[in-house]
Amino acid sequence: GQSLEQPSEVTAVEGAIVQINCTYQTSGFYGLSWYQQHDGGAPTFLSYNALDGLEETGRFSSFLSRSDSYGYLLLQELQMKDSASYFCASRTYTGGFKTIFGAGTRLFVKA
Amino acid sequence: DAGVIQSPRHEVTEMGQEVTLRCKPISGHNSLFWYRQTMMRGLELLIYFNNNVPIDDSGMPEDRFSAKMPNASFSTLKIQPSEPRDSAVYFCASSARGQGADTEAFFGQGTRLTVV
């Protein structure tokens, strides 16, 4: 089967750093993506890790360890606008590429 | 490109009626996905197409749901007959085939379906 586990909720203060973890069990695994979704909006792509290590994009970084079936999203210098849901998603291949989403982590940023 | 376009944005229908959701993927993308999002179940992959061919429909909840992709620029998701438990936001997404930076899935704005 395919499953991704991530915390349901995280709270942090403005300016802080927060890490959202994700563990996965998927067959045909190619890589791990992260998406952001604001209330009432559509998921938008943040990052993708195909190889082990850290990928940095501005204030956001994402990490993958394939041997541990684990990844995380790191958000630095938190801003109020970062309050949203964050989804890890596995990119898999079973006859075609598809993306399976975790349940999402709701991030609350407080002033 | 205007992105992934879904219609309608909102749909309210009575139980038992047929509902058709529409999606136009980004031009040049050859993978198309239909997702359903609810508070209880999160984002569920219903079906995906590769080069207009359905590859995996194991996420389709039951026979009341069907999806088609008659050409590279159009797909439909149909529910017949609809039931209140089908109420959800339905997203269509498209992506380009590949393993690098083009693995991003681009989502439409979704169709909020309410079945009363």
Side-chain angles (χ1 to χ4, degrees):
Chain A
Q2 317 269 21
S3 70
L4 298 101
E5 298 287 332
Q6 54 182 128
S8 59
E9 205 173 281
V10 172
T11 300
V13 298
E14 211 172 2
I17 298 172
V18 71
Q19 179 173 313
I20 300 174
N21 298 320
C22 174
T23 57
Y24 60 88
Q25 279 189 309
T26 59
S27 54
F29 179 83
Y30 264 74
L32 194 70
S33 302
W34 289 90
Y35 286 78
Q36 178 192 61
Q37 185 180 30
H38 286 98
D39 285 348
T44 56
F45 175 82
L46 292 177
S47 67
Y48 174 70
N49 294 68
L51 303 175
D52 285 359
L54 192 68
E55 295 279 345
E56 298 180 70
T57 309
R59 294 187 297 114
F60 294 178
S61 303
S62 57
F63 172 83
L64 176 66
S65 168
R66 298 175 73 100
S67 60
D68 296 322
S69 298
Y70 164 76
Y72 65 72
L73 179 70
L74 192 73
L75 298 88
Q76 303 181 74
E77 301 172 20
L78 280 175
Q79 302 175 9
M80 299 296 287
K81 67 178 181 178
D82 297 330
S83 293
S85 292
Y86 292 85
F87 295 86
C88 61
S90 67
R91 183 82 167 162
T92 64
Y93 185 87
T94 51
F97 285 103
K98 65 179 180 180
T99 302
I100 304 295
F101 284 78
T105 298
R106 183 79 182 209
L107 172 64
F108 297 95
V109 180
K110 303 189 300 184
Chain B
D1 200 314
V4 176
I5 299 172
Q6 290 186 246
S7 64
R9 291 293 309 278
H10 302 273
E11 177 81 28
V12 180
T13 190
E14 290 185 346
M15 183 173 64
Q17 296 297 305
E18 176 180 296
V19 175
T20 299
L21 311 182
R22 296 173 175 80
C23 175
K24 177 177 166 42
I26 292 173
S27 176
H29 283 187
N30 61 356
S31 294
L32 183 139
F33 310 86
W34 282 101
Y35 289 90
R36 176 173 69 175
Q37 187 173 36
T38 61
M39 288 293 292
M40 292 297 295
R41 302 174 70 92
L43 259 171
E44 302 174 273
L45 177 63
L46 301 178
I47 185 171
Y48 79 99
F49 295 84
N50 200 39
N51 293 322
N52 312 339
V53 175
I55 301 298
D56 185 344
D57 64 355
S58 59
M60 296 286 260
E62 48 198 273
D63 292 345
R64 297 184 298 106
F65 286 69
S66 62
K68 294 182 180 179
M69 191 165 186
N71 56 62
S73 59
F74 183 66
S75 177
T76 59
L77 178 69
K78 185 177 293 186
I79 309 172
Q80 165 64 20
S82 57
E83 297 181 3
R85 60 192 168 121
D86 302 330
S87 297
V89 180
Y90 291 81
F91 286 104
C92 174
S94 70
S95 71
R97 184 184 181 92
Q99 300 175 49
D102 61 355
T103 57
E104 176 180 356
F106 293 82
F107 282 75
Q109 288 305 301
T111 295
R112 182 172 295 277
L113 173 65
T114 304
V115 184
V116 298

